[in-house]
Every structure is written in C-alpha cells, then in structure tokens.
Amino acid sequence: MKIAIPIESKSEDAKISQLFARSSYFAILDKVTGNKEIIDNPYCNDSMRIAANVIWMLAQKNVEIFAGYEFGLKMQNETYARKINLVLISDKYHNLKELTSIIKVIQKDL
Amino acid sequence: MARPKHKRVIQQPPKIRGFKPIGHYSSGINSLELNLEEYEAIRLLDYENLTQKEAAEYMQISRPTLTRIYETARTKLSTMLVEAKQLVIEGGQYIFKNSWYECQGCLCKFNNPSEKNLTECIICGDNNIMKLEVVK
C-alpha cells in the first residue's frame, strides 16, 4: 500500500507542499516495505487537467493514499471515484521526516 | 414553529479549527464562530471560484439559501479582520458528503471511499479513530 506526499524539494526533510496537485515533487512511501521514492511532478505548472494527470501518474505507481494539507474539488471527486484514500495531514507535521516518522509500516525488509 | 433546517453538505472537513490575530488583541474573550456551512460557502465561492448555482448544488441547498449563508460568512470575516477577533470554525447544521474519520493519535483526517470497516488510522495505525457525520 503506497502513500503519496507532496513536497517542495528532494531532500529527506523536505517541507510538505501546501497544494497537492501543484507540488513540484512527490514522496511515495511503501507501507509494506518501508521503501521511499521521490519523483518529479511534470504537471505542476500546467493550466488544465492537473488533477487528472497527477492521479494518473500516481496510479501508475500503485499509490492508494494521497496525503496532503488540502485537496481541490476535482481531486476530491476523481479520487473518490477511483477509491483512492485522501488524508488531510495535521498541521503539526511540517516536513517529510516528521510525517514519515509516524506512518505505520506493516513490515520492513531485513 | 419554524421549519427544521436542511443539513448542508460539506465536501471535506476544514484543516484548522480557527485563527488568532497576531498582536496584543489575541485574547480568547473576543472570538467569533464561523460555522462549517459558512466556511464551505467561502471555500466553494471564493477559493474554488464556483458559481452560486454550482456551489448550491455541491452543498445540496437552494441558491438563495447559499447567498444568505455566504453573506453571513463575509460579514463575520470582515468583523474578524477589522475588530481583530479570534475566529473559531465549528458548529452549524451540516453533514459530510463522504465518510471522514479523525485519528485522535496523529490528528490527521482521512476518508474511506471503499466504505471498508475501518478500525485503525491509515497513517499511524492508532485505533482511536472517530467517524465524522456522513450523508445517507
């Protein structure tokens, strides 16, 4: 089960982006293995279909949970139709390191 | 006796509970309550830039009702700014469109589009989760 988190830079303690679909990067955390991957968001500066393209891109990576501070209407409607969970992160978590430290990993690779 | 109010549909819970002014006016005594349907009206009309017709459809209310809610919300926000009052976002006659839960452990909120039987937070695994109201 993978979680996508929008971040502002590629570092381990990157700040979590305020906007989901327009963030420059996504951190993808695998809840089963604990592995983490950071990918670019090529759609962040587009003028149209950003939500649809980002959802498609993350679905290709088998992401089932989107975690962010805020989701627009289109993102809410399209993720609901695709049965993707949305998580509204508490504002007590400011960066990737703080948030990933509380994410429950089901099992880790030895 | 007045007709009971129809519950207003809210798409997602607000991410914060309110606002405090910066400076010596930040006292708990002077606070305003913005209820959730007023927050939702501001969010749909001013933030998402929907038309009144579209926003009313999302909230499952009539357009005149939306207009009244929006006007009240704008008045409260302007009072908050000018008189430097705290704003608390809570209360109202509302219901959430989808199942939303709040984890008492990590304080994150999450939805459940698959309508599974959830017993723990999907983020931290804490089983102290609270289901927020949902429309049937």
Side-chain angles (χ1 to χ4, degrees):
Chain A
M1 186 185 283
K2 292 184 180 178
I3 303 174
I5 302 162
I7 50 177
E8 294 184 358
S9 65
K10 284 189 169 184
S11 66
E12 283 293 316
D13 59 352
K15 270 185 74 176
I16 298 172
S17 180
Q18 288 293 322
L19 298 174
F20 190 87
R22 288 200 178 277
S23 73
S24 302
Y25 310 97
F26 288 102
I28 298 174
L29 176 72
D30 190 324
K31 281 192 75 177
V32 174
T33 62
N35 290 337
K36 195 164 39 195
E37 179 191 3
I38 294 178
I39 62 170
D40 290 354
N41 177 12
Y43 308 107
C44 58
N45 294 317
D46 285 2
S47 54
M48 288 170 54
R49 290 189 51 82
I50 305 150
N53 288 333
V54 165
I55 291 169
W56 175 84
M57 177 181 74
L58 294 174
Q60 299 300 301
K61 298 270 182 189
N62 300 314
V63 174
E64 295 175 25
I65 302 171
F66 291 2
Y69 291 128
E70 169 85 42
F71 298 96
L73 276 175
K74 286 179 187 164
M75 182 63 75
Q76 287 173 51
N77 292 335
E78 297 202 27
T79 52
Y80 190 78
R82 288 169 178 254
K83 309 294 181 202
I84 294 171
N85 285 91
L86 294 181
V87 175
L88 293 172
I89 305 168
S90 166
D91 57 6
K92 70 185 223 181
Y93 308 109
H94 304 114
N95 61 47
L96 184 62
K97 203 172 173 182
E98 285 173 1
L99 184 63
T100 52
S101 70
I102 62 143
I103 292 174
K104 181 185 174 187
V105 175
I106 297 163
Q107 67 184 60
K108 282 192 180 227
D109 285 335
L110 293 173
Chain B
M1 183 179 155
R3 181 163 65 170
K5 278 186 188 171
H6 182 69
K7 288 192 176 179
R8 284 81 173 185
V9 175
I10 310 293
Q11 299 296 312
Q12 69 179 42
K15 59 182 185 180
I16 36 80
R17 290 185 55 223
F19 290 92
K20 280 186 186 178
I22 297 171
H24 73 279
Y25 293 106
S26 54
S27 156
I29 300 168
N30 279 330
S31 69
L32 273 174
E33 186 181 288
L34 185 77
N35 64 39
L36 261 77
E37 57 261 40
E38 290 163 354
Y39 162 84
E40 186 72 350
I42 293 282
R43 192 179 77 86
L44 294 176
L45 292 169
D46 291 344
Y47 183 75
E48 296 282 358
N49 292 315
L50 299 185
T51 62
Q52 289 202 352
K53 182 171 179 288
E54 287 167 335
E57 282 170 9
Y58 269 103
M59 291 181 69
Q60 295 184 23
I61 53 177
S62 68
R63 200 199 50 76
T65 301
L66 173 75
T67 306
R68 282 195 295 277
I69 293 171
Y70 181 62
E71 291 297 325
T72 308
R74 291 283 296 265
T75 302
K76 287 183 182 179
L77 290 178
S78 57
T79 305
M80 176 196 79
L81 284 172
V82 173
E83 296 181 18
K85 294 193 173 189
Q86 283 188 33
L87 187 80
V88 178
I89 304 173
E90 66 180 10
Q93 295 286 323
Y94 67 92
I95 205 156
F96 290 105
K97 183 174 187 291
N98 306 315
S99 301
W100 281 92
Y101 295 77
E102 183 169 10
C103 173
Q104 305 302 299
C106 66
L107 303 179
C108 295
K109 297 182 180 80
F110 53 94
N111 68 359
N112 183 22
S114 307
E115 300 290 337
K116 292 179 198 167
N117 182 28
L118 289 179
T119 55
E120 62 175 38
C121 174
I122 62 174
I123 290 291
C124 70
D126 196 313
N127 52 20
N128 190 6
I129 59 174
M130 189 174 71
K131 189 173 181 181
L132 304 175
E133 279 199 71
V134 67
V135 68
K136 294 194 197 317

